[in-house]
Amino acid sequence: MLTRIRQSIVYRIGTLMLLTVLVALSSMVASYVISDAADNDAEAVNLAGSLRMMSYRLAATAPAGDVGATRVLADELTLRLERVLSISDFSAGDDLPAAVHYRAVMDDWSLDIRPLLEKVAVGGTSMNSLQLASSLEPFIQDVDILVSDYQKIAEEKIDLLRIVQLGSLFATVLLVYLSLYILHRSVEQPLKQLIRRSRSIAEGDFHTHRIGIDSEDELGLLARTINHMSDVIHANQRDLERRVKRKTAQLQRSHEALDFQYRLARRISEGPLSGKELETWLAEFASVAKLDNLDLCLMTPEGEAPYEHLVLGLGNEQCEPADCNSCVSSCSSTAEGSQRVYRFPLEVDKRNYGVLVCSVAADSELEDEQQQRLATFADSITAAIAINERVDQDRRVALMDERAIIARELHDSLAQSLSYLKIQVTRLNRAKRNGQMDAEQVEEIITELKQGLDSSYRQLRELLTTFRLQIGQGGLRGILEQSILGYREQHPQISVLLDYRLEEIPLTPHEEIHLLQLVREASQNAVYHSQGNLVEISLVQGEDLAVHISVRDNGVGIGDSPEKRNHFGMSIMQERASNLTGELSIRRRESGGTEVRFEFVPQYAREREMLWQSAS
């Protein structure tokens, strides 16, 4: 019971309310019982008091000799005495003073007084009223005592009722005060602390204010739970703050690493890295990755020793230049003496360009993030070396291609012209040996030799111009406009018009060069040989994605045998057309002049067509 009261506010308040109700009920029940017990006290006092009056009446009636009236009054007095006993709170045999006095009155009445009155009434004893009244005085005094006893009993009950009412009032006041005190101590004060703590928690303070409630009831349990919850939240908050700081630091390091990798990649894309730059990048990487001892050995794929060895810090103490292959080929973490060595080969496409070595103390290990950054840096260095090697190879290939182009151009132009001149010289020597030197024939051969030399010289100049030609920012259109300006300056009597509508077509450099040379060759033939005053150049794209090029003039038109002398450029145009997988046609226009037409499908259109076919 006490344990439940101590552990439950509800049970405690319920107990106080129950006690208050019990006190009130007890007071009401006691009042009712006392009131009920005192219900006949007034009647008993009245009846006892009426005995004196009847005694005086009998003292006056008996000496007069009225036996009947005397007996009636005597019976009435007897009945009243019995009635007094019946409404009393005691029995005739009790030891209470009132019971003792009642028995004395009954004995006097039944043994002395009533017989005396009956004798006086019948005349057996001669007594007057005064004498008889004097004889009744002891009896009347006993009746007065009995009346006093009944009055005292009634007063005692009233006093008891007062005591019960005062006691119940005091108990009620005490219980109300105790209830208010317990509510103040066990409910109001703890609730204030809980509210204050709840507000501090709502403001984010989980540790400053603690609830000092040590009770075992519901509020105490709630206080302990809130304190525990606050401690857990505060601990989690501190742990989260530490984790956030750690993650922020990691993000900062990752940002620095990403920024380093971005700048390194951008620098690699700009051109080759020199040894001094590699040393600078290596030092910056060590600072970003928080590493002290790094070795960067660079080797040729065919070499057995590094051509460049960059060391940062103490480097690898176990480095043995005589055994570089074992270091380059390994990719693991090994303990070597007082160091733990991590190796990251610079390898791409089964070609090894060296190794990046990181050394730490033998009793420590690199974090996964540091190993990943080392691998990424090694990959970047490998990519830089591979790109440099690829650029050099591309330059070699470009140089060889350029030499092949020069050889082809010389073969297709000067070689043919010189062959033609050699044929004319052979004709001249043959005519000389035969002794048949016809002046007209010699003049014809000399004329052809002169024309051939002029053609060869012109072709040489055109080749020099072609080899020096570069397509700048203006692209194909810009170089064509420059060529047209040159024609207009050299031949102001000829109008050269350009219709260029290939701005939205992504031509490859190979396609641009061949288109440029083809258009230049056709336009030069029109300017130099057409004898007209108008040249129209058109470059447009048709609906079938094919590029259509035409060069028209209003001159005398092409001859019946254009493949003969002075038309070596046509064969060159045919070869360029075949290189672009296109179709070239040269025809005489009905309105006069010559038209050179060329059609081909660009590479981007062919690739798109292949994608469509594979998708379908």
Side-chain angles (χ1 to χ4, degrees):
M1 182 71 177
L2 294 177
T3 302
R4 295 191 63 181
I5 293 175
R6 187 170 59 253
Q7 293 179 350
S8 175
I9 294 178
V10 176
Y11 197 81
R12 193 180 310 161
I13 295 175
T15 302
L16 291 173
M17 294 179 64
L18 179 62
L19 290 176
T20 304
V21 171
L22 288 177
V23 168
L25 290 177
S26 300
S27 174
M28 288 186 288
V29 170
S31 298
Y32 174 79
V33 171
I34 295 172
S35 299
D36 184 69
D39 188 26
N40 296 321
D41 290 347
E43 183 180 0
V45 172
N46 289 331
L47 287 175
S50 67
L51 294 177
R52 291 180 298 178
M53 178 190 69
M54 293 186 69
S55 297
Y56 286 120
R57 288 179 63 186
L58 286 172
T61 302
D66 190 353
V67 177
T70 301
R71 288 180 178 176
V72 170
L73 289 175
D75 292 337
E76 181 65 22
L77 193 148
T78 301
L79 291 175
R80 290 192 178 189
L81 282 174
E82 293 176 355
R83 174 64 180 167
V84 168
L85 180 62
S86 64
I87 62 174
S88 298
D89 296 334
F90 53 85
S91 61
D94 291 341
D95 295 332
L96 296 175
V100 173
H101 291 156
Y102 176 77
R103 287 196 299 269
V105 170
M106 284 294 293
D107 290 342
D108 289 342
W109 169 253
S110 62
L111 296 177
D112 296 329
I113 301 303
R114 184 168 184 167
L116 178 63
L117 290 174
E118 289 179 352
K119 288 181 180 181
V120 172
V122 297
T125 300
S126 177
M127 295 180 68
N128 57 22
S129 298
L130 291 176
Q131 291 175 342
L132 186 57
S134 297
S135 297
L136 292 176
E137 281 299 325
F139 175 73
I140 292 173
Q141 289 179 358
D142 290 337
V143 170
D144 288 339
I145 294 173
L146 182 60
V147 171
S148 299
D149 289 338
Y150 278 107
Q151 184 178 357
K152 186 177 180 180
I153 290 172
E155 290 176 354
E156 288 178 352
K157 290 180 179 180
I158 292 174
D159 291 339
L160 178 60
L161 181 61
R162 289 195 186 101
I163 292 173
V164 169
Q165 293 293 333
L166 289 176
S168 62
L169 177 62
F170 176 77
T172 303
V173 172
L174 181 62
L175 287 174
V176 170
Y177 174 78
L178 184 61
S179 300
L180 293 176
Y181 175 77
I182 291 176
L183 287 174
H184 172 73
R185 184 74 179 273
S186 301
V187 178
E188 183 183 5
Q189 290 183 350
L191 280 178
K192 287 182 178 179
Q193 295 187 43
L194 290 172
I195 293 172
R196 184 168 60 251
R197 183 59 179 148
S198 299
R199 289 175 178 173
S200 64
I201 291 175
E203 294 173 356
D205 182 8
F206 296 98
H207 188 66
T208 303
H209 302 287
R210 295 184 59 83
I211 303 176
I213 301 176
D214 298 330
S215 61
E216 300 179 6
D217 52 23
E218 294 89 343
L219 293 180
L221 177 61
L222 182 60
R224 289 190 295 273
T225 303
I226 292 178
N227 286 333
H228 178 68
M229 177 192 69
S230 300
D231 294 338
V232 173
I233 294 176
H234 181 66
N236 291 335
Q237 185 180 25
R238 288 185 300 176
D239 181 63
L240 286 175
E241 288 177 354
R242 289 193 297 268
R243 292 171 63 183
V244 167
K245 290 181 180 179
R246 185 167 62 252
K247 289 295 182 181
T248 302
Q250 291 178 356
L251 288 175
Q252 182 65 28
R253 291 195 299 269
S254 299
H255 172 72
E256 293 176 356
L258 288 175
D259 179 68
F260 171 80
Q261 289 297 135
Y262 168 74
R263 290 186 290 106
L264 178 58
R266 186 176 63 181
R267 175 60 189 88
I268 291 173
S269 65
E270 293 175 354
L273 290 176
S274 63
K276 187 65 177 177
E277 285 183 295
L278 279 177
E279 187 174 0
T280 303
W281 286 107
L282 183 64
E284 185 175 353
F285 171 75
S287 176
V288 171
K290 308 299 182 184
L291 299 173
D292 296 328
N293 303 322
L294 294 176
D295 285 5
L296 179 61
C297 296
L298 302 181
M299 302 174 61
T300 61
E302 299 80 10
E304 297 181 356
Y307 65 84
E308 191 159 8
H309 188 192
L310 303 178
V311 180
L312 184 69
L314 298 177
N316 180 16
E317 295 178 353
Q318 305 298 323
C319 180
E320 297 180 1
D323 190 18
C324 291
N325 287 328
S326 61
C327 181
V328 171
S329 60
S330 63
C331 179
S332 61
S333 169
T334 58
E336 301 177 1
S338 62
Q339 291 181 328
R340 177 171 292 275
V341 180
Y342 294 83
R343 293 183 175 87
F344 300 88
L346 309 181
E347 186 177 4
V348 61
D349 297 334
K350 298 182 180 180
R351 293 173 62 88
N352 201 312
Y353 297 98
V355 63
L356 175 64
V357 182
C358 177
S359 303
V360 296
D363 56 348
S364 61
E365 293 183 358
L366 289 179
E367 298 178 357
D368 293 339
E369 185 177 1
Q370 290 177 314
Q371 297 186 38
Q372 183 178 2
R373 290 176 182 174
L374 279 166
T376 304
F377 181 68
D379 292 341
S380 298
I381 298 300
T382 305
I385 298 174
I387 289 174
N388 293 344
E389 187 179 63
R390 193 174 298 113
V391 169
D392 292 340
Q393 183 64 24
D394 291 341
R395 288 176 180 174
R396 295 189 190 98
V397 173
L399 181 60
M400 298 303 294
D401 290 342
E402 185 177 2
R403 290 180 178 179
I405 291 173
I406 293 174
R408 186 189 64 199
E409 295 292 342
L410 291 175
H411 175 270
D412 294 340
S413 58
L414 287 180
Q416 295 183 14
S417 297
L418 292 176
S419 297
Y420 175 76
L421 292 176
K422 184 178 180 180
I423 292 172
Q424 299 303 322
V425 171
T426 302
R427 287 179 58 197
L428 185 59
N429 288 331
R430 185 180 299 170
K432 181 180 179 181
R433 284 197 304 269
N434 293 335
Q436 300 176 358
M437 296 291 292
D438 187 0
E440 183 177 353
Q441 184 180 6
V442 171
E443 183 65 26
E444 180 184 358
I445 294 174
I446 292 174
T447 301
E448 290 180 358
L449 286 172
K450 183 178 180 182
Q451 291 177 353
L453 288 173
D454 291 341
S455 176
S456 299
Y457 181 71
R458 180 177 62 83
Q459 290 176 6
L460 178 61
R461 293 189 60 184
E462 290 177 357
L463 286 175
L464 292 175
T465 303
T466 300
F467 295 150
R468 294 171 181 171
L469 181 64
Q470 295 181 355
I471 298 180
Q473 295 182 353
L476 179 59
R477 179 171 188 161
I479 194 64
L480 286 177
E481 290 177 347
Q482 292 180 7
S483 299
I484 291 173
L485 289 177
Y487 295 151
R488 290 172 181 172
E489 292 178 357
Q490 296 176 7
H491 306 277
Q493 74 280 5
I494 301 177
S495 297
V496 183
L497 304 178
L498 176 65
D499 181 15
Y500 187 90
R501 284 180 283 174
L502 302 180
E503 290 87 353
E504 307 301 330
I505 299 178
L507 298 174
T508 64
H510 175 74
E511 293 171 342
E512 288 184 343
I513 289 294
H514 283 292
L515 280 181
L516 173 62
Q517 297 294 358
L518 194 148
V519 172
R520 282 172 57 85
E521 184 68 28
S523 60
Q524 286 176 358
N525 288 336
V527 170
Y528 291 122
H529 303 295
S530 68
Q531 301 179 14
N533 61 0
L534 177 64
V535 178
E536 296 177 341
I537 303 173
S538 174
L539 293 92
V540 298
Q541 185 178 27
E543 296 180 356
D544 55 352
L545 299 181
V547 175
H548 301 271
I549 296 97
S550 67
V551 179
R552 299 185 296 272
D553 63 68
N554 60 350
V556 297
I558 193 170
D560 295 333
S561 300
E563 69 278 0
K564 292 186 178 180
R565 54 188 180 181
N566 298 327
H567 294 285
F568 301 110
M570 294 182 183
S571 62
I572 297 175
M573 287 192 293
Q574 289 288 357
E575 185 172 353
R576 294 190 186 280
S578 64
N579 288 333
L580 293 179
T581 317
E583 296 181 1
L584 178 69
S585 63
I586 304 173
R587 68 180 184 88
R588 183 191 296 270
R589 300 175 63 193
E590 295 180 359
S591 59
T594 303
E595 181 180 16
V596 178
R597 294 183 61 85
F598 174 65
E599 296 181 4
F600 83 104
V601 180
Q603 181 179 348
Y604 90 95
R606 294 197 300 271
E607 293 176 352
R608 182 185 297 178
E609 183 68 22
M610 292 176 62
L611 288 176
W612 286 346
Q613 291 178 357
S614 62
S616 61

